[in-house]
Amino acid sequence: KILFWTQEKISTVTFSKETEENEKNFPAVTVLTEKGNDIRQSFWAYEASHVLFRDGNEVFLAEARSPEPFYVRPVMTVLPDTPVFYHDLAHHIYYLHPQTRHLMRRKITES
């Protein structure tokens, strides 16, 4: 699986055939969201069941394995024009707080 994005959209490409029925749609391109404004970063989360992404100064968590339409929920606001870092093993995101500008760590949960 490959995760890719533009400023407006996040998509995945799957290169493995799960069933013979999927063979004609191989590789499969899935669009998770097309409602972005300024998507700059995106990360696989929870063994590729979710995608965490930064759109402008907002961070969102999108489901990547559920039936369409994929549920996208807001997680937090970060300091504008700053990157975030997601550590998948610990499920932590590191970011700069928008008011204090302090480096913060937050655990990201699936629900």
Side-chain angles (χ1 to χ4, degrees):
K1 263 186 169 180
I2 294 175
L3 175 65
F4 69 97
W5 62 94
T6 64
Q7 284 184 304
E8 297 84 27
K9 147 170 94 169
I10 295 181
S11 303
T12 63
V13 178
T14 304
F15 290 97
S16 64
K17 297 179 278 189
E18 294 175 2
T19 66
E20 290 300 317
E21 294 173 7
N22 292 345
E23 188 171 335
K24 60 185 166 197
N25 297 327
F26 177 73
V29 177
T30 304
V31 177
L32 301 180
T33 185
E34 294 182 285
K35 297 180 180 179
N37 294 311
D38 190 22
I39 299 172
R40 296 293 176 156
Q41 292 181 278
S42 190
F43 306 90
W44 286 114
Y46 289 97
E47 298 177 6
S49 68
H50 292 75
V51 172
L52 188 71
F53 66 96
R54 182 177 61 87
D55 186 359
N57 62 339
E58 299 289 324
V59 175
F60 298 88
L61 186 65
E63 293 179 349
R65 289 190 184 157
S66 65
E68 294 182 42
F70 297 99
Y71 180 67
V72 178
R73 69 176 172 96
V75 176
M76 70 181 73
T77 302
V78 299
L79 185 66
D81 299 320
T82 60
V84 298
F85 174 76
Y86 178 68
H87 187 282
D88 193 36
L89 295 176
H91 307 295
H92 285 135
I93 187 168
Y94 296 86
Y95 64 99
L96 293 177
H97 190 276
Q99 283 82 34
T100 66
R101 298 178 177 245
H102 292 157
L103 179 62
M104 307 294 287
R105 179 182 73 181
R106 180 174 173 182
K107 185 158 181 92
I108 302 298
T109 59
E110 294 177 71
S111 54

